[in-house]
């Protein structure tokens, strides 16, 4: 296990603790502004130290983690989870799943009235 002393790039750390599937995805999220370190927007080369708070927006939810251990290389899931404290809010429950508009087979093309009803269902 690679545990450096001092500081580590936020993109490398987020990838190493399995918050992103690839390091390039972690860097892209940083460049897009989806990663914050201690409340400040983070570039991929932003350095993190133990005690820093990292916010990550993506995949429909927000993650808030506190750095406990610095890692540079990807490690097992158990070690990765022990390297940070997850303070993420609980995901919002989906109260209602939108029903996809379905037409009977052979019903033909939707009428103008049908199209408007479909748009209302989709929220447009």
């Amino acid at each position: 296990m690679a545990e450096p002393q001092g500081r580590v790039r936020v993109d490398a750390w987020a990838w190493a603790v399995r918050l992103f599937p690839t390091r390039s995805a972690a860097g892209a999220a940083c460049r897009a502004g989806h990663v914050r370190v201690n409340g400040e927007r983070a570039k991929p080369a932003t350095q993190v130290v133990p005690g820093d708070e990292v916010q990550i927006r993506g995949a429909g939810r927000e993650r808030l983690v506190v750095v406990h251990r610095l890692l540079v290389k990807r490690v097992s899931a158990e070690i990765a989870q022990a390297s940070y404290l997850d303070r993420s809010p609980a995901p919002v429950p989906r109260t209602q799943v939108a029903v996809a508009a379905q037409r009977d087979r052979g019903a033909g093309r939707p009428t103008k009235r049908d199209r408007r009803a479909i748009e209302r269902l989709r929220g447009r």
Side-chain angles (χ1 to χ4, degrees), residues 9-93:
R9 290 172 56 113
V10 69
D11 62 339
W13 181 83
W15 167 75
V17 297
R18 298 172 177 262
L19 296 174
F20 289 98
T22 63
R23 180 152 177 205
S24 62
C30 291
R31 284 188 295 279
H34 300 300
V35 178
R36 292 181 173 269
V37 175
N38 296 325
E40 298 291 323
R41 188 173 169 180
K43 293 182 179 179
T46 301
Q47 303 289 311
V48 292
V49 295
D52 281 350
E53 201 172 73
V54 179
Q55 289 178 306
I56 299 171
R57 275 193 354 249
R61 73 180 282 212
E62 186 166 326
R63 305 273 319 254
L64 179 63
V65 296
V66 178
V67 178
H68 275 307
R69 182 189 300 166
L70 297 179
L71 298 173
V72 175
K73 299 205 183 241
R74 199 152 169 109
V75 293
S76 69
E78 296 82 27
I79 296 171
Q81 286 180 341
S83 299
Y84 62 87
L85 172 65
D86 195 353
R87 296 160 117 199
S88 304
V92 178

Side-chain angles (χ1 to χ4, degrees), residues 81-120:
Q81 286 180 341
S83 299
Y84 62 87
L85 172 65
D86 195 353
R87 296 160 117 199
S88 304
V92 178
R94 292 189 177 180
T95 57
Q96 190 177 34
V97 177
V99 179
Q102 293 183 354
R103 297 184 47 80
D104 294 331
R105 187 170 177 87
R109 185 174 169 174
T111 64
K112 188 172 189 175
R113 183 178 185 182
D114 292 339
R115 287 195 310 270
R116 288 183 175 164
I118 291 169
E119 286 179 5
R120 268 195 309 274

